């Protein structure tokens, strides 16, 4: 009898507690309570905040922000490694680990933004843009041209906005070989360009609007110069993108702009506010 009693009591000893009553507070028969996991909210918010700060802050301020975020993240990681599991609550440990990762991700985003910000604030190209100088640039089309229509007027657009990447910029008697993002504002001929096409642009440099990621804008005074090779392939790609945009036109406005952008990279049908977001 003693052996049987010990054997029956053994599961309770191993589990550390007696079996719970199904009608008790901890052993109810209802469905388990669902909990909302918000651990990714903090990293997302901090990365977005650091990315937005890159649109407004100078490179020096972004460098300070990057170093501060990286230092705080490293400090939290060091404190996590220095404590023993016995004195470290699981919830607090998870929150601190998430915070450390969020700080390091935000530091990486701030470092990337500082590189882009240097083109807007530092260097000879930034000085030429701030001075509104005339330039002749060899550029590569980086996106689909966007029409700049005026409300209340029908017919084809007279002005186009074209995102480009610079290869060479000649201004003030100096040739700058730099890779910077610009937006060319030009007439109807600029609407016929396709992504990847290299053209020559002539016009006046202007600063970009506040909060924009481009280094500046170029108000084109003439049509784009001759393209460099590959015209047959580029024309076929342009025709495919335009057909896809037309096929998606039956969708809601936001979806009609997002679907071609995700499939073919053509963002010409996107609303400007949605594209900026």
């Amino acid at each position: 009898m003693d052996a049987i009693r010990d054997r029956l009591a053994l599961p309770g000893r191993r589990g550390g507690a007696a079996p719970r009553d199904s009608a008790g507070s901890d052993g109810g028969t209802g469905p388990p309570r669902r909990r909302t996991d918000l651990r990714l909210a903090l990293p997302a918010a901090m990365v977005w905040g650091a990315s937005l700060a890159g649109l407004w802050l100078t490179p020096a301020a972004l460098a300070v922000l990057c170093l501060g975020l990286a230092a705080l993240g490293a400090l939290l990681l060091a404190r996590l490694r220095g404590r023993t599991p016995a004195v470290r609550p699981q919830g607090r440990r998870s929150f601190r680990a998430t915070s450390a990762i969020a700080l390091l991700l935000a530091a990486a985003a701030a470092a990337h933004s500082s590189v882009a910000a240097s083109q807007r604030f530092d260097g000879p190209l930034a000085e030429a843009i701030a001075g509104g100088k005339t330039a002749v640039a060899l550029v590569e089309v980086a996106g689909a041209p966007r029409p700049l229509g005026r409300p209340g007027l029908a017919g084809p657009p007279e002005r186009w906005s074209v995102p480009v990447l610079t290869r060479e910029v000649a201004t003030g008697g100096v040739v700058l070989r730099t890779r910077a993002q610009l937006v060319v504002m030009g007439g109807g001929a600029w609407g016929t360009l396709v992504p990847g096409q290299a053209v020559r642009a002539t016009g006046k440099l202007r600063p970009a609007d506040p909060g924009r990621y481009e280094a500046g804008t170029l108000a084109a005074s003439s049509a784009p110069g001759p393209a460099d090779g590959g015209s047959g392939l580029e024309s076929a790609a342009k025709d495919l993108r335009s057909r896809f945009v037309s096929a998606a036109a039956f969708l809601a406005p936001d979806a009609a702009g997002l679907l071609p952008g995700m499939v073919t990279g053509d963002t010409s049908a996107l609303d400007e506010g949605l594209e900026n977001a």
Side-chain angles (χ1 to χ4, degrees):
M1 293 297 295
D2 293 339
I4 294 174
R5 188 184 303 111
D6 293 339
R7 184 176 294 276
L8 292 176
L10 186 59
R13 295 175 183 174
R14 289 180 177 176
R20 297 174 181 172
D21 186 5
S22 60
S25 60
D26 294 333
T29 58
R33 186 176 59 181
R34 300 180 63 180
R35 300 176 60 185
T36 302
D37 193 344
L38 299 177
R39 286 178 293 179
L40 293 180
L42 181 61
M46 297 195 69
V47 170
W48 274 102
S51 300
L52 292 176
L55 300 176
W56 301 92
L57 300 180
T58 62
L62 283 173
V64 174
L65 177 64
C66 180
L67 292 176
L69 292 173
L72 288 176
L75 179 61
L76 281 178
L77 289 178
R79 293 189 62 182
L80 284 174
R81 294 188 60 184
R83 292 190 176 186
T84 59
V87 297
R88 186 168 54 199
Q90 185 65 26
R92 186 176 300 176
R93 175 190 178 188
S94 177
F95 176 76
R96 289 181 177 176
T98 304
S99 301
I101 295 174
L103 288 168
L104 295 178
L105 291 175
H112 177 75
S113 298
S114 64
V115 175
S118 63
Q119 297 179 345
R120 299 194 303 270
F121 295 97
D122 297 333
L125 179 60
E127 296 176 359
I129 292 174
K133 295 184 178 180
T134 301
V136 178
L138 179 62
V139 299
E140 177 183 333
V141 180
R146 176 183 294 276
L148 300 177
R150 290 177 292 178
L153 294 180
E158 298 180 356
R159 301 286 294 174
W160 292 81
S161 170
V162 185
V164 299
L165 291 173
T166 62
R167 294 184 180 179
E168 294 182 358
V169 180
T171 177
V174 179
V175 177
L176 306 175
R177 290 179 174 84
T178 180
R179 195 76 167 171
Q181 292 179 318
L182 294 177
V183 174
V184 178
M185 305 290 184
W190 288 93
T192 62
L193 300 181
V194 295
Q197 191 172 358
V199 297
R200 190 172 300 275
T202 304
K204 190 173 183 179
L205 294 170
R206 295 176 181 174
D209 294 333
R212 297 290 300 180
Y213 59 87
E214 299 93 0
T217 62
L218 178 66
S221 58
S222 62
D228 295 345
S231 57
L233 182 60
E234 291 167 353
S235 299
K238 179 183 178 181
D239 182 65
L240 176 62
R241 282 190 291 266
S242 62
R243 287 174 178 268
F244 198 94
V245 171
S246 300
F250 74 96
L251 299 172
D254 289 349
L258 284 173
L259 185 60
M262 292 187 297
V263 177
T264 66
D266 189 341
T267 58
S268 59
L270 270 180
D271 178 75
E272 185 176 358
L274 182 59
E275 184 180 13
N276 293 337

